[in-house]
Each structure stands twice: as structure tokens, then as C-alpha cells.
């Protein structure tokens, strides 16, 4: 059979004819569709500009807040609840409203802008375990300036919220997320430690931050560890918060007893901590019981699901090598429960006892709380308090003052009731 015979046979075939017809309509449709597509592409290329911001990008959260501010009339909101459980069992929750996934139209600088927030159902960001998201801004025109403006504004908005405030980060998956709104900075003077203690630590940290070259010249990792130990309620955590405020640093709060913490995750988190931040490990004794106290090799805390090992923690602490000053603060109520390996020099460079109130502290606290009282009154309060009580924590004293807010005399007279 020749080729033309073959074609002839095909033509006679009714299916082929029908098929040909279908193909014809199909082609026309496809062409039309193609045409529209090309037209749309052309239109988009030339008359629309878009900006896509994936959730991984730093500006993503700034932009969400910016959108919330601008898309005031949107009725479709989603909530982002942050939840933080402190080692003490105290729970903090915070609700943030954001525009929900979908389309939002806003009027900005005499332009309509369509904002589409998309959330992939199938894709999860492996780092954070949260759905993969992005926001896309679309505007008519060719002027990219508008997006720069938006990004700029979003950043300024975010920074304004942080100005004079301390940002608290918590670990979420493999990254650090700001927890709640930045708090007003706590002034250092509001935490009264024993004479000279606060100054000593502040000077040490400032000296450390100020001399990166000293470390690099000697090939010493640029980090410094601090341990504050002593009974609860004496100001360890408060002091660290105030110190961060003083330095203009943020705080990365890390929970070692977090069940999902593993060696790798800890290592990664320490290496990606935000710049200018203090890593805070609260109540380290709770997560790591001294190895000597335990019959088995593996301390209690990680007999459960946690895959964080003690050596993993040590390695992570040692491995924190960065050109940024890395400051690690640990607190504990029981220093004797800590493994010596954890607090040896190099891991913990400065150990500071923060204990019950001394005469000096009590006097200072009284004067701070009742500034218009004559100085002698502070001394009198302090003397009475120490006669009545052998050990007083600053938290107890503060609570007592709160009961006698406007009554300094009563505060001295009722000094025996402090503990009640
Ligand atoms: N030295 C201090 N000066 C002023 N306030 C203090 C001091 N110590 C504790 N407080 C108050 O007591 C409360 C608990 O203190 P905190 O810093 O959490 O103690 P710690 O971390 O040592 O257990 C805080 O509200 C804080 O304001
Ligand atoms: Mg504390």
C-alpha cells in the first residue's frame, strides 16, 4: 500500500472525518484560549505589576500587619494565636488578627491594589510545620515604586512598634518568631539587685559587645555565657529583660524541656538566632538533671520523646560560632543540680548569685517605691524587715509595697505581715 492509498483509506473512514471535525473545533478553541492567554500575558506584562512575598521572607509578617492596617474594611480575618508556656507553668496567649487567605482590595495612593493571600493546603514548610503561604500584590500600571513604598511603610510600621521596646522571640519549628507584641522596655533601675551586681554584669556585657576584634584576633569564638542563680522571685528573669532593654537587644526564649527539641534543632536555632539578641535558657536545671544524680546515662528529661541530649546541648553551646556577638543567659534556682560540664568556663563565663534582699536592696526598693519619703525611712523599713524575716525575696517585698501603695508608714508598720 502506498502512502496515498493510505490517506485515501483514512478519508473514507467515518471516524476520521468526525475526528477531524472535532480536531478543527478543538484547535479553534485552543487557539482562542491561547490568544486570550497571550493577551492576558501581554496585558499583565505591560499594564500590571505584581509582587509576590513568600512566608519565609522577613518582610512577610510586616506586610501582614501593614495589610491589616490598610484593609480596615475587610471582613475576612484570620487569627494567629501565640501560646507560650513558661517553665513555671504560667501560660501566655496572644491573639493577632490578620487578613484571611483570599483576595482583598485596598485603595492606596490613588491606586487599587489587589492583595491575594494564598495558603497551600498540600505544602507545608518543613522548617516550621506551618502551611506554605504567600501574599501577592497586584496593581495596574508599570510603576514599581508603589511596592517599594509599601515595603518601606510596612518596615517602618514594624520598627515603630519595636521602638523603645523589647521583642521576645520563641522558637517555632526551625525559626524564631516574635512572640506577641513587643513589650515596653523595662528600665534597669526598676530591678534592684545587690549593690554593684547589676552594674558589674552590664559592664561585662557591654565590654564584650564592644570588642569583637579581641576575639577574632585570638581565634576565640565570639560568645559569652552568663548564669544567674539563686532563689525564685529575686529578679533573675526581670534583670535579663531589663538588660536586653538597656542594650536595645531582643530576647530569644528557649525552652529546653520542650518535647520537640532535638539536638539538631537546638543547634540550628542557636545558629539562626536574630541579630542583637540574648539567648535565654530559663531554669536549666529543670531540663537537665546532673548526670551524677541519675542511675542511668540518660537524664530524666529526655527519657520521653525529647531527643535533646546533654551532649547535644553542650555541642550546640560550643558550636555557636558567629561574627555576631552571641550572648547566652541561663537561670536556675538550683545551681548544685547543674552538671559541672554545663557551667564550666567557656560555656558560662560569669556566674552571679542573685539572692534574697540585703539591707541595701531593701532600702533602695523602699526609696524607689516611695520617692517622696525622707531617706531615713528606707533605712527604717529595711531594718524592721530584716529583724522580722531572715529571708525575703524582692518579689515578696514588691507585693507588700503594692498592698500599701499610698501608705509608706503602713508599709513599715506591717512589715511583719510581708509573707502573709
Ligand atoms: N530585684 C528586684 N527588683 C525589683 N523587682 C523584683 C526584683 N526581683 C523580683 N522582682 C519582681 O518580682 C517578680 C518576679 O521576679 P523574677 O525576675 O521572675 O524572679 P526570678 O526570675 O529570680 O525567679 C517580678 O515581677 C519582678 O518585678
Ligand atoms: Mg525566673
Amino acid at each position: 500500500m502506498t502512502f496515498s492509498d493510505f490517506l485515501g483509506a483514512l478519508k473514507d473512514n467515518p471516524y476520521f472525518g468526525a475526528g477531524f471535525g472535532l480536531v478543527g473545533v478543538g484547535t479553534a478553541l485552543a487557539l482562542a484560549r491561547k490568544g486570550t492567554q497571550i493577551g492576558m500575558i501581554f496585558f499583565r506584562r505591560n499594564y500590571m505589576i505584581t509582587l509576590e512575598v513568600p512566608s519565609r521572607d522577613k518582610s512577610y509578617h510586616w506586610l501582614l500587619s501593614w495589610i491589616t492596617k490598610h484593609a480596615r474594611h475587610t471582613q475576612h480575618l484570620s487569627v494567629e494565636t501565640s501560646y507560650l508556656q513558661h517553665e513555671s507553668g504560667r501560660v501566655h496567649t496572644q491573639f493577632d488578627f490578620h487578613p484571611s487567605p483570599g483576595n482583598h482590595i485596598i485603595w492606596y495612593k490613588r491606586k487599587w491594589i489587589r492583595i491575594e493571600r494564598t495558603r497551600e493546603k498540600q505544602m507545608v514548610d518543613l522548617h516550621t510545620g506551618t502551611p506554605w503561604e504567600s501574599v501577592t500584590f497586584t496593581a495596574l500600571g508599570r510603576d514599581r515604586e508603589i511596592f517599594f513604598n509599601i515595603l518601606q511603610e510596612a518596615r517602618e510600621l514594624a520598627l515603630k512598634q519595636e521602638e523603645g521596646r523589647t521583642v521576645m522571640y520563641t522558637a517555632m519549628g526551625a525559626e524564631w518568631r516574635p512572640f506577641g507584641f513587643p513589650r515596653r522596655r523595662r528600665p534597669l533601675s526598676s530591678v534592684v539587685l545587690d549593690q554593684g551586681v547589676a552594674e558589674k554584669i552590664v559592664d561585662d556585657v557591654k565590654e564584650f559587645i564592644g570588642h569583637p576584634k579581641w576575639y577574632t584576633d585570638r581565634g576565640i569564638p565570639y560568645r559569652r555565657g552568663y548564669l544567674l542563680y539563686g532563689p525564685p522571685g529575686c529578679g533573675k528573669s526581670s534583670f535579663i529583660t531589663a538588660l536586653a532593654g538597656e542594650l536595645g537587644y531582643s530576647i530569644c526564649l528557649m525552652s529546653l524541656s520542650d518535647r520537640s527539641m532535638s539536638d539538631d534543632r537546638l543547634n540550628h536555632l542557636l545558629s539562626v538566632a536574630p541579630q542583637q539578641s540574648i539567648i535565654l535558657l530559663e531554669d536549666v536545671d529543670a531540663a537537665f538533671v546532673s548526670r551524677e544524680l541519675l542511675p542511668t546515662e540518660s537524664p530524666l528529661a529526655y527519657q520521653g520523646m525529647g531527643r535533646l541530649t546533654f551532649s547535644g546541648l553542650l555541642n550546640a553551646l560550643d558550636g555557636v560560632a558567629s561574627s555576631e556577638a552571641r550572648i547566652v543567659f541561663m537561670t536556675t534556682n538550683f545551681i548544685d543540680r547543674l552538671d559541672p560540664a554545663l557551667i564550666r568556663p567557656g560555656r558560662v563565663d560569669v556566674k552571679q548569685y542573685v539572692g534574697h534582699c540585703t539591707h541595701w536592696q531593701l532600702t533602695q526598693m523602699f526609696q524607689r517605691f516611695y520617692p517622696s519619703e525622707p531617706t531615713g525611712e528606707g533605712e527604717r523599713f529595711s531594718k524592721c524587715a530584716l529583724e522580722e524575716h531572715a529571708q525575703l525575696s524582692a518579689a515578696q517585698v514588691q507585693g507588700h509595697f503594692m498592698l500599701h501603695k499610698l501608705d509608706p508608714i503602713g508599709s513599715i508598720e506591717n512589715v511583719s505581715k510581708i509573707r502573709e
Side-chain angles (χ1 to χ4, degrees), residues 59-74:
S59 62
Y60 184 75
H61 283 271
W62 301 348
L63 282 170
L64 285 192
S65 318
W66 184 89
I67 299 168
T68 315
K69 190 167 165 247
H70 282 264
R72 280 219 193 93
H73 301 295
T74 196

Side-chain angles (χ1 to χ4, degrees), residues 284-303 310 332 334-340:
V284 269
D285 57 278
F288 291 99
V289 183
S290 169
R291 279 173 296 182
E292 287 165 23
L293 292 177
L294 284 154
T296 53
E297 252 301 293
S298 60
L300 273 182
Y302 31 92
Q303 278 177 356
F310 186 68
T332 181
F334 311 98
I335 192 176
D336 45 337
R337 287 195 197 161
L338 295 181
D339 194 298

Side-chain angles (χ1 to χ4, degrees), residues 90 232-233 235-238 282-283 331 333:
R90 198 152 41 104
K236 299 183 292 295
S237 309
S238 317
E282 285 263 39
D283 302 308
T331 69
N333 295 340

Side-chain angles (χ1 to χ4, degrees), residues 88-160:
S88 62
R90 198 152 41 104
V91 172
H92 248 102
T93 41
Q94 163 108 31
F95 303 110
D96 292 322
F97 288 110
H98 285 311
S100 66
N103 287 318
H104 305 269
I105 308 275
I106 60 165
W107 176 248
Y108 172 74
K109 299 225 159 144
R110 303 216 258 129
K111 272 203 165 86
W112 288 108
I113 297 179
R114 191 181 78 147
I115 298 167
E116 188 183 13
R117 181 174 176 200
T118 45
R119 178 177 286 167
E120 295 284 341
K121 291 226 169 54
Q122 319 287 338
M123 261 158 64
V124 169
D125 185 345
L126 286 179
H127 282 298
T128 56
T130 48
W132 186 262
E133 289 190 1
S134 65
V135 273
T136 310
F137 291 71
T138 310
L140 290 176
R142 306 172 87 163
D143 187 10
R144 278 193 270 168
E145 191 73 8
I146 193 160
F147 292 150
F148 285 118
N149 278 340
I150 292 179
L151 283 167
Q152 191 84 6
E153 268 189 26
R155 198 188 57 150
E156 276 162 18
L157 189 74
L159 291 185
K160 207 157 77 199

Side-chain angles (χ1 to χ4, degrees), residues 358-412:
T358 61
H359 176 76
W360 187 84
Q361 258 172 298
L362 288 168
T363 316
Q364 292 290 315
M365 285 180 76
F366 186 91
Q367 279 167 5
R368 265 198 62 83
F369 206 90
Y370 309 108
S372 44
E373 287 300 293
T375 18
E377 289 296 272
E379 297 275 342
R380 194 158 78 89
F381 168 78
S382 172
K383 213 164 141 267
C384 296
L386 288 174
E387 270 165 19
E388 292 285 340
H389 308 281
Q391 297 179 328
L392 279 177
S393 73
Q396 284 170 324
V397 176
Q398 202 177 51
H400 176 72
F401 288 161
M402 294 298 282
L403 286 179
H404 302 85
K405 257 189 207 155
L406 305 169
D407 181 16
I409 307 290
S411 150
I412 301 178

